[in-house]
Amino acid sequence: MTNGVIECILSRSATKYFDPAATLSDEQIRELVRIGTTAPTSFHLQNWRFIAVRTPEAKARLRPLAWDQPAITEAAVTFIVCGQLADSSVVPERLAPLVEAGIMPAKMVPEWEIPARDLYMEYPQRQRDEAVRTGTFGAAAMIYAARSLGLGSTPMIGFDAEAVHREFGLAEDEVPVMLLSVGPERPGNWAQKPRRPVADVLDLV
């Protein structure tokens, strides 16, 4: 079982060494985010935001908040992947383009909004869980998109979330899920590390 997508997934590895002289254009950054936002979200909430830290000044602000990891300043861009607390009140707005495009009948919108409200409104932990899930799905899509474009990437959870939230002006309902550095690589990166056997992680029932 192999094709270009699978080969991309199987050949990806976390990048430790980025080319510090390389840059990505704003258009390339926008394209990575566009691809990332095609990932699935609960009730089509699309509850994410991406802050592209790409200038030397912004990188210098972020690096000390991220345990002084070199990737922050050496990668062409580091995304602050933000998940937004699940909010059922935005469902009609997020579904409106589907209705306008003829994909979804208007009468179906309440059939999505009501269960979303029941699932999230009174459950702060579920709201936060969904923010983390959503941000992770988007970041994963960007990781593989980057690989397909010949770029390296590495996701990072080693950072001061409260400090990042404050320094980069995240909204009250936003959770900094991870940092994702992306850019051209320099020599020295490992190949993908061996994984546990499927038999150890799969139950067929």
Side-chain angles (χ1 to χ4, degrees):
M1 182 193 305
T2 183
N3 60 37
V5 174
I6 293 173
E7 286 298 322
C8 173
I9 293 170
L10 294 180
S11 64
R12 181 220 60 85
S13 63
T15 300
K16 182 175 178 64
Y17 303 112
F18 290 93
D19 179 354
T23 61
L24 294 179
S25 69
D26 287 358
E27 187 54 40
Q28 288 174 301
I29 291 170
R30 290 189 187 98
E31 181 64 3
L32 283 171
V33 172
R34 186 190 71 81
I35 294 168
T37 59
T38 65
T41 62
S42 180
F43 296 99
H44 204 54
L45 288 172
Q46 304 170 79
N47 50 316
W48 42 32
R49 188 164 70 94
F50 305 86
I51 301 171
V53 179
R54 74 203 200 294
T55 66
E57 295 78 13
K59 291 176 180 180
R61 288 164 55 203
L62 180 58
R63 181 162 169 168
L65 309 181
W67 300 0
D68 202 35
Q69 295 180 79
I72 302 298
T73 48
E74 293 183 359
V77 60
T78 294
F79 295 96
I80 304 172
V81 180
C82 306
Q84 297 166 332
L85 301 180
D87 177 7
S88 61
S89 71
V90 306
V91 169
E93 170 197 334
R94 301 289 155 82
L95 296 182
L98 282 71
V99 175
E100 293 168 9
I103 296 170
M104 170 184 281
K107 65 181 181 181
M108 190 178 288
V109 172
E111 297 175 13
W112 286 40
E113 182 182 9
I114 292 170
R117 183 179 63 213
D118 293 343
L119 182 61
Y120 297 120
M121 182 173 283
E122 302 297 329
Y123 300 95
Q125 186 62 51
R126 290 180 186 175
Q127 295 173 20
R128 191 181 192 284
D129 289 348
E130 202 58 61
V132 174
R133 262 192 296 270
T134 295
T136 301
F137 280 145
M142 292 167 68
I143 286 169
Y144 294 119
R147 175 62 182 168
S148 74
L149 296 171
L151 302 171
S153 68
T154 189
M156 294 176 282
I157 60 168
F159 62 95
D160 183 333
E162 291 183 4
V164 168
H165 198 290
R166 184 170 55 250
E167 178 68 24
F168 288 88
L170 274 62
E172 187 176 344
D173 71 339
E174 291 181 324
V175 178
V177 175
M178 72 180 75
L179 306 178
L180 176 62
S181 292
V182 178
E185 299 177 82
R186 59 185 168 93
N189 290 298
W190 293 351
Q192 188 175 91
K193 298 180 286 294
R195 293 315 204 255
R196 295 169 62 192
V198 171
D200 290 355
V201 300
L202 173 65
D203 288 331
L204 297 172
V205 297

